[in-house]
Amino acid sequence: MSTDEHTAEPVTDVASLYREVDRAEWAALASGIQNPLSETEVVQLRGIGDRLDLTEVREVYLPLSRLLSTYAENTKRLGAETAAFLREPDTTTPFVVGVAGSVAVGKSTIARLLRELMSRWPGTPRVELVTTDGFLYPNAELERRGIMSRKGFPESYDRRALVRFLTDVKSGAAEARAPFYSHVRYDIVPDAYVTVRRPDVVIVEGLNVLSPPPTPNDVAVSDLFDFSVFVDADADDIAGWYVDRFLALREGAFSNPSSFFNVFAELSDAEAVETALGYWNDINLPNLRENVEPTKHRATLVLGKAADHTVKSVLLRKL
């Protein structure tokens, strides 16, 4: 046996931390629960390229919303009991859920859907959604730093501002403000904010919300989560969804004269596909491989998507 073989540490079996539930078993958890959303509401929540329908909502996201609401209610109860034990006033703070995953994997739709579903449960009527896009550095600052082409990579975010925001939320501040990002302008809007005022639940959606801290002494964004969801899919499938979304945006949002991407509105189909694949292969796929995918094991729950956007399996961290 070589020295390297003798001293090598065993590979950690991360999969053993989770219980795996297949689609049929997970869907059975919705038995007897009425879907509170109409088909019109589901269509309004659905992102471009997503194939979300009432069946998917009922079989996948309704049980997930109930699980999250259960976690939130029990965390609140534990907070109250802890306060009583310490003979202090109950200062339980909002339950924070992180939603992570690649560009075009459907995490924004899932975050919006969970906000609507969780707000229908009696224990969590007030649910707010914040995206980490608001914590991107303004384009001018990205240009100054020479990282405009790495927008979406960890270094393009004001991580400290995001941690401060979540610290305010979890410390029970009367209100916490997050910057507002315009997808039309592709930039932060000066003096515009999303204000959160002590709701029951705050959902935080973004690419890198499960990333470890840059140094051991720093606080990770995920340190301030009570529960986290990672939306997982095969990279080739996501690439196809990304191209389809780009083509749809070319016909829609890109045609807005105010859009940052208006320059792409007149591209032919072939040119649009080539452009989208260029962005995917040069920016989004490397970011997925280097920064997003490696954080999957940090999630409390992993939704595994099939090529048609439906969820095929669920991994839930064991308690």
Side-chain angles (χ1 to χ4, degrees):
M1 179 183 293
S2 70
T3 302
D4 288 343
E5 291 174 331
H6 182 73
T7 59
E9 294 183 4
V11 175
T12 302
D13 182 14
V14 176
S16 66
L17 299 174
Y18 294 88
R19 53 169 60 87
E20 183 171 3
V21 187
D22 66 26
R23 171 63 183 249
E25 292 174 313
W26 186 263
L29 300 176
S31 178
I33 304 177
Q34 184 175 0
N35 188 349
L37 299 181
S38 66
E39 186 171 1
T40 299
E41 289 174 308
V42 171
V43 170
Q44 290 172 341
L45 291 168
R46 188 166 57 206
I48 295 173
D50 285 339
R51 301 173 192 174
L52 185 70
D53 58 21
L54 285 172
T55 299
E56 192 75 356
V57 172
R58 182 180 65 253
E59 295 186 355
V60 177
Y61 299 104
L62 193 55
L64 176 55
S65 73
R66 181 65 211 137
L67 177 66
L68 287 169
S69 187
T70 298
Y71 267 74
E73 290 177 46
N74 282 283
T75 299
K76 185 175 182 179
R77 185 177 300 113
L78 177 60
E81 291 177 359
T82 301
F85 173 78
L86 296 172
R87 300 176 184 176
E88 296 177 350
D90 181 10
T91 56
T92 304
T93 60
F95 187 82
V96 179
V97 180
V99 179
S102 171
V103 166
V105 79
K107 63 185 181 302
S108 297
T109 296
I110 290 171
R112 290 193 298 270
L113 179 58
L114 290 176
R115 176 186 59 190
E116 293 303 315
L117 290 173
M118 289 188 73
S119 69
R120 310 297 174 101
W121 293 108
T124 53
R126 296 179 59 238
V127 184
E128 298 285 354
L129 171 60
V130 174
T131 72
T132 59
D133 290 342
F135 294 93
L136 284 160
Y137 286 114
N139 288 351
E141 178 63 16
L142 294 175
E143 293 282 8
R144 188 187 71 80
R145 297 185 180 207
I147 56 172
M148 187 66 179
S149 64
R150 291 179 67 82
K151 195 169 186 177
F153 282 68
E155 63 268 28
S156 66
Y157 292 88
D158 188 344
R159 196 192 69 85
R160 291 184 178 180
L162 176 55
V163 168
R164 284 196 301 270
F165 167 78
L166 287 174
T167 299
D168 287 344
V169 169
K170 291 303 293 179
S171 64
E175 69 175 38
R177 297 200 310 175
F180 178 76
Y181 183 86
S182 168
H183 286 275
V184 173
R185 294 171 56 172
Y186 193 57
D187 203 355
I188 301 295
V189 178
D191 301 320
Y193 298 92
V194 176
T195 303
V196 172
R197 296 183 176 90
R198 288 182 59 86
D200 301 299
V201 178
V202 176
I203 298 173
V204 181
E205 176 260 312
L207 287 168
N208 301 298
V209 294
L210 294 179
S211 296
T215 68
N217 291 331
D218 283 319
V219 176
V221 171
S222 59
D223 289 340
L224 299 162
F225 292 162
D226 297 291
F227 195 104
S228 54
V229 177
F230 187 95
V231 188
D232 192 28
D234 184 87
D236 288 341
D237 291 334
I238 304 174
W241 301 338
Y242 181 82
V243 171
D244 290 344
R245 188 176 74 172
F246 190 94
L247 292 173
L249 286 169
R250 181 194 54 163
E251 299 297 327
F254 291 174
S255 62
N256 183 337
S258 301
S259 172
F260 180 87
F261 296 104
N262 181 253
V263 66
F264 299 137
E266 301 303 322
L267 294 178
S268 67
D269 286 351
E271 291 171 331
V273 169
E274 182 180 6
T275 300
L277 286 174
Y279 280 122
W280 174 257
N281 291 318
D282 294 343
I283 300 173
N284 295 296
L285 180 59
N287 196 19
L288 171 62
R289 294 297 193 209
E290 296 168 20
N291 303 303
V292 180
E293 197 171 50
T295 68
K296 178 169 62 175
H297 71 279
R298 298 170 63 89
T300 315
L301 181 143
V302 179
L303 293 174
K305 280 192 167 187
D308 63 355
H309 257 299
T310 59
V311 171
K312 59 184 179 181
S313 66
V314 177
L315 299 176
L316 177 62
R317 182 74 69 92
K318 297 174 183 176
L319 293 176

